[in-house]
Amino acid sequence: MGINDLLPLLEDIKRDINIWEYKNKVVAVDAYVWLHQCAFGCAESLCTGVVTYQYVVSFILKVKQLIHVGCKPFIVFDGASLPAKASTEESREAQRRK
């Protein structure tokens, strides 16, 4: 689930860009961030058991947008659970169940 408080630490070096600045470059994408964003758009269907694949369609459209501007998407999915984070994962799972 990322690094706590990372974004405020990077505040001084971040800048707004136009996606075209990444033309002809490889762009790494956190797949779970995008899937979460895409699922939000059809959350009611997902939560009520209505079959939908809209989140997959939205995800693919995001990838196609990168390709359209000349980027080469590198889609990254989290790896296996880390033993060092076992207690954190357990507490998150308990919170989700609650």
Side-chain angles (χ1 to χ4, degrees):
M1 294 287 286
I3 301 170
N4 291 337
D5 302 319
L6 177 62
L7 291 179
L9 293 173
L10 300 176
E11 190 67 33
D12 292 341
I13 62 170
K14 81 173 190 177
R15 64 185 180 89
D16 291 332
I17 59 102
N18 184 307
I19 191 64
W20 289 93
E21 291 182 44
Y22 289 104
K23 183 177 181 174
N24 299 320
K25 296 187 179 181
V26 176
V27 177
V29 173
D30 183 329
Y32 287 115
V33 169
W34 273 13
L35 283 171
H36 180 79
Q37 290 173 344
C38 295
F40 185 80
C42 54
E44 184 175 349
S45 295
L46 292 170
C47 291
T48 57
V50 175
V51 177
T52 181
Y53 298 101
Q54 186 56 46
Y55 61 99
V56 177
V57 172
S58 298
F59 185 93
I60 292 169
L61 286 173
K62 286 178 172 284
V63 173
K64 285 183 175 183
Q65 286 174 331
L66 289 177
I67 294 168
H68 174 74
V69 298
C71 297
K72 182 176 180 180
F74 188 87
I75 309 301
V76 179
F77 290 86
D78 288 340
S81 298
L82 299 173
K85 291 181 67 179
S87 64
T88 302
E89 294 296 331
E90 289 170 12
S91 65
R92 287 180 181 157
E93 180 59 32
Q95 184 63 30
R96 283 192 287 268
R97 280 192 300 260
K98 186 176 164 184

